[in-house]
Amino acid sequence: VDHDAQYLTARDADFRSYLQQLNESGYVRPWEPAIAGIGGEAGSSLLTWYVGVPGMAAIVRPLCESVQVFTKRPVHTIDRVAGGWKVLFQDESVAGPYSFVAIAVPAPQAQFLFGPLDDMAHAVSNVRMAPCWSLMLDLEQDTLPRFDVYSDMSQTIRWIGRDSSKPGRRGRG
C-alpha cells in the first residue's frame, strides 16, 4: 500500500519539466485510472496524474542522490550556526553545518524542532491543521471492480483508490 500522496499533477511549467525528466528516467509514470464521476458514471481528470515507480518516494529519490540522509536518529532541535545549520539529535550528537535543512513534519512537531529560533517557531505556530484519517486495506478480490478511483462521494469518505491499478504496482484487490 502506498503511504504517500495518491498522485501528483503539474500546473507549473518547471514542475511539468521535472516530472517529464522523471518519466524519461523511469521514476514516475502517468496513471490513467478508471475514475467514478458524479452519479457513478465514468469521469476523467483534466490534468495528467503521475505516480512514483515503484512507490511515491521515487519522485524525490533523484533529489537525494547527493544528500546525506540520517534515519532512525530522532532530531531534538535545529539551530543556526556560522555557515548554515546544525542538527542536534536526541542522543546528544550533532551533525552539520549544512547549507539547508528540510523539515517534513506536521507544523506542531516542527515548532519543537525550531527550539531557540523564535521567529521560525512563531511562523509555524500560526499553521492550523485539519486531520485526514486514512484506512488502508489489502483485499483478496476486487471489491469495487468497475473503477480504480472513487472520490468526492460524501463528507465522510472522500477518496477510494486502487493502488494495484497504478503503474509499477502489484496486488490483488
Side-chain angles (χ1 to χ4, degrees):
V1 176
D2 220 337
H3 293 87
D4 301 301
Q6 295 93 350
Y7 60 89
L8 293 175
T9 61
R11 292 179 179 89
D12 176 80
D14 289 336
F15 192 56
R16 265 194 307 273
S17 174
Y18 175 67
L19 287 178
Q20 184 59 38
Q21 291 173 31
L22 291 179
N23 189 34
E24 290 168 3
S25 59
Y27 287 103
V28 303
R29 291 286 179 252
W31 180 35
E32 299 174 2
I35 301 172
I38 296 172
E41 298 301 316
S44 63
S45 172
L46 297 176
L47 298 170
T48 302
W49 290 4
Y50 292 93
V51 296
V53 176
M56 292 300 281
I59 293 166
V60 296
R61 191 167 295 124
L63 300 174
C64 298
E65 288 175 352
S66 63
V67 175
Q68 184 175 14
V69 177
F70 295 95
T71 61
K72 299 181 181 165
R73 291 185 64 197
V75 174
H76 182 269
T77 52
I78 63 169
D79 200 6
R80 284 187 187 107
V81 295
W85 300 90
K86 68 178 176 179
V87 178
L88 296 88
F89 295 98
Q90 288 182 359
D91 65 5
E92 298 184 7
S93 62
V94 178
Y98 299 107
S99 300
F100 302 95
V101 175
I103 307 293
V105 297
Q109 292 172 311
Q111 190 173 5
F112 290 109
L113 295 177
F114 294 133
L117 305 171
D118 291 334
D119 57 330
M120 294 177 79
H122 178 71
V124 172
S125 72
N126 293 324
V127 173
R128 297 294 168 244
M129 304 282 296
C132 173
W133 294 91
S134 299
L135 174 65
M136 298 174 195
L137 302 171
D138 183 7
L139 304 173
E140 294 292 328
Q141 59 186 347
D142 287 347
T143 305
L144 303 170
R146 185 165 174 213
F147 296 106
D148 300 314
V149 170
Y150 295 79
S151 68
D152 295 327
M153 296 155 307
S154 73
Q155 292 298 317
T156 305
I157 298 176
R158 301 292 292 175
W159 173 272
I160 297 174
R162 187 187 336 271
D163 269 6
S164 61
S165 71
K166 294 177 180 179
R169 308 313 196 270
R170 288 179 291 199
R172 299 178 302 256

